[in-house]
């Protein structure tokens, strides 16, 4: 994945270049703080990769790529407030350090700065990219609300779940690839193919997240084991278990998911049902299905296979996390 390291270096240098130096510090220091702890920065990399695929100028795509990174971090600041999360990327969250008011305001400012980073684009291209960006933001908020709604819903369906993770995770990857392609001058058809590639890879990535929560190597995954079970999350594992459970297993699932408890017996019992109903195998097949659908959209783009290879490698990398 040497190509990924190269893109990460380019993005890191751009973030350093565009560090906020505005005043007041109380507003902009928290913004720099979260951007500087940026993880893998995959979404701006997706913009640059798509631009490269169609032989565009990376300089033209750099600020829009950062716009998507700023937007992503804006959502994380507000998510952490909603979840009352003390840590993000193993660092104290902004509202923990500076209070909820600063957290809300610095998140809002990041969103505004993200829009400003599209301003260098030519008018027609600016209009196209901002339309995609705005629609993505609205859909992502809808996905977040659906996720919140699910906590108190007893009749969440498979289709509900797929819609929620598409909105919360899939569309941001999708629009990152689409915007990068459009900036490079790709046709609407090819940019749409990139959108669908990103959407299905994003769906597969989120399903893998749900799988690893229960069946992953927790030291590698870096999260509390079976946190979704403790929190009664209506993940794909739970929904498939409901579908394939016998009467006794169904009764047991309903019993445990009616209680929010740290009782370890809950985790053991629910895990056993997951294994007996073979949801682990079913979920892995579903991940592969969305990966294959995503890859099929690459086939629709009339470019040499060697140019598309990094995208296949990226998809496989994202889905090859430790299990």
């Amino acid at each position: 994945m040497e190509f990924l390291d190269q893109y990460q270096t380019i993005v890191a240098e751009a973030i350093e270049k565009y560090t906020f130096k505005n005043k007041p510090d109380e507003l902009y220091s928290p913004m720099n703080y979260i951007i500087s702890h940026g993880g893998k920065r995959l979404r701006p990399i997706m913009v640059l990769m798509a631009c490269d695929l169609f032989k565009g100028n990376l300089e033209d795509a750099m600020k829009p790529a950062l716009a998507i990174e700023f937007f992503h971090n804006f959502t994380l600041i507000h998510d952490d407030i909603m979840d009352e999360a003390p840590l993000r990327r193993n660092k104290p969250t902004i509202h923990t350090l500076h209070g909820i008011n600063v957290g809300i305001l610095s998140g809002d400012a990041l969103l505004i700065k993200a829009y400003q980073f599209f301003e260098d684009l030519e008018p027609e291209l600016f209009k196209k990219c901002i339309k995609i960006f705005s629609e993505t933001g609205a859909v992502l908020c809808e996905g977040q609300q659906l996720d919140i709604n699910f906590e108190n819903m007893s009749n969440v369906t498979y289709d509900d779940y797929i819609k929620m993770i598409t909105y919360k995770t899939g569309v941001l990857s999708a629009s990152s690839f689409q915007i990068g392609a459009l900036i490079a001058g790709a046709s609407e058809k090819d940019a749409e193919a990139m959108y669908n590639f990103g959407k299905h890879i994003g769906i597969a990535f989120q399903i893998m997240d749900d799988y690893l929560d229960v069946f992953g190597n927790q030291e590698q995954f870096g999260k509390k084991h079976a946190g979704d079970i403790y929190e009664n999350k209506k993940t794909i594992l739970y929904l498939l278990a409901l579908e394939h459970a016998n009467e006794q297993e169904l009764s047991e699932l309903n019993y445990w998911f009616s209680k929010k408890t740290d009782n370890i017996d809950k985790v053991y019992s629910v895990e056993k049902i997951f294994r007996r109903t073979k949801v682990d195998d079913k979920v892995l097949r579903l991940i592969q299905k969305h990966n294959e659908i995503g890859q099929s959209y690459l086939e629709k783009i009339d470019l040499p296979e060697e140019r598309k290879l990094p995208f296949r490698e990226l998809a496989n990398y994202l889905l090859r996390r430790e299990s």
Side-chain angles (χ1 to χ4, degrees):
M1 298 295 288
E2 186 179 333
F3 76 91
L4 202 57
D5 294 336
Q6 292 171 350
Y7 283 118
Q8 283 174 334
T9 299
I10 293 170
V11 172
E13 288 173 352
I15 285 174
E16 180 69 26
K17 177 180 177 182
Y18 291 105
T19 296
F20 297 114
K21 298 179 175 66
N22 315 58
K23 300 293 181 184
D25 286 338
E26 292 80 2
L27 174 66
Y28 288 99
S29 291
M31 293 161 64
N32 287 328
Y33 172 82
I34 192 165
I35 293 293
S36 68
H37 299 141
K40 293 183 174 64
R41 293 168 174 154
L42 291 171
R43 289 157 193 86
I45 287 172
M46 290 172 180
V47 177
L48 299 182
M49 285 181 67
C51 185
D52 255 349
L53 176 65
F54 296 99
K55 294 194 174 298
N57 184 343
L58 289 192
E59 279 299 312
D60 295 339
M62 184 55 65
K63 288 173 80 171
L66 292 187
I68 287 177
E69 180 69 358
F70 289 178
F71 173 82
H72 175 58
N73 281 278
F74 140 73
T75 67
L76 298 183
I77 294 172
H78 284 196
D79 278 357
D80 289 340
I81 292 170
M82 284 185 267
D83 294 341
E84 299 180 359
L87 295 175
R88 166 71 63 181
R89 299 164 182 153
N90 291 318
K91 303 282 186 182
T93 47
I94 285 177
H95 71 274
T96 302
L97 291 173
H98 303 284
I100 289 175
N101 288 347
V102 170
I104 293 170
L105 201 57
S106 60
D108 292 346
L110 264 182
L111 175 60
I112 293 164
K113 291 293 183 183
Y115 272 94
Q116 290 179 326
F117 265 32
F118 284 100
E119 290 174 355
D120 290 349
L121 297 176
E122 293 298 318
E124 187 178 343
L125 184 58
F126 172 82
K127 186 176 179 180
K128 283 182 184 178
C129 291
I130 283 294
K131 184 173 187 292
I132 294 165
F133 188 62
S134 297
E135 287 173 354
T136 298
V139 165
L140 198 143
C141 290
E142 291 170 17
Q144 176 72 357
Q145 186 62 57
L146 287 174
D147 197 19
I148 293 168
N149 291 353
F150 287 1
E151 292 178 17
N152 299 312
M153 285 173 58
S154 57
N155 59 339
V156 177
T157 67
Y158 171 81
D159 288 341
D160 292 334
Y161 166 85
I162 292 295
K163 180 178 180 179
M164 184 272 289
I165 65 169
T166 301
Y167 284 13
K168 271 197 73 170
T169 305
V171 294
L172 194 54
S173 300
S175 59
S176 298
F177 284 124
Q178 186 180 23
I179 285 171
L182 288 172
I183 289 171
S187 68
E188 298 282 349
K189 180 182 173 186
D190 283 347
E192 187 70 22
M194 291 305 303
Y195 179 93
N196 284 304
F197 167 75
K199 181 177 78 172
H200 284 282
I201 296 308
I203 291 169
F205 181 83
Q206 184 56 53
I207 296 173
M208 178 61 88
D209 240 32
D210 291 353
Y211 172 87
L212 291 174
D213 179 76
V214 176
F215 298 110
N217 178 328
Q218 297 309 306
E219 288 184 11
Q220 297 274 357
F221 193 41
K223 292 184 180 179
K224 176 182 178 180
H225 173 63
D228 289 342
I229 295 176
Y230 285 115
E231 295 294 320
N232 293 339
K233 288 275 189 179
K234 313 289 197 309
T235 68
I236 189 63
L237 283 79
Y238 169 78
L239 296 175
L240 287 174
L242 284 184
E243 184 181 339
H244 296 281
N246 60 33
E247 194 172 331
Q248 182 183 340
E249 291 164 343
L250 203 54
S251 174
E252 199 173 342
L253 271 177
N254 288 332
Y255 169 78
W256 285 119
F257 273 77
S258 69
K259 299 176 178 297
K260 213 164 189 180
T261 172
D262 280 347
N263 186 338
I264 194 67
D265 290 340
K266 175 179 180 176
V267 173
Y268 287 146
S269 299
V270 173
E271 270 194 53
K272 278 183 184 176
I273 295 171
F274 285 175
R275 292 186 188 279
R276 284 203 301 267
T277 53
K278 296 184 168 32
V279 298
D280 49 341
D281 293 335
K282 292 179 175 67
V283 166
L284 288 175
R285 286 199 296 272
L286 189 59
I287 290 166
Q288 188 55 35
K289 172 190 165 186
H290 280 283
N291 187 14
E292 288 170 1
I293 293 171
Q295 305 259 3
S296 73
Y297 281 99
L298 285 180
E299 303 293 340
K300 300 177 187 293
I301 297 171
D302 186 20
L303 287 173
E305 179 58 31
E306 63 266 19
R307 297 256 297 278
K308 294 185 269 188
L309 187 59
F311 295 85
R312 301 194 191 283
E313 290 180 1
L314 176 65
N316 292 331
Y317 164 75
L318 291 175
L319 303 178
R320 202 169 50 231
R321 291 174 292 163
E322 288 300 318
S323 58

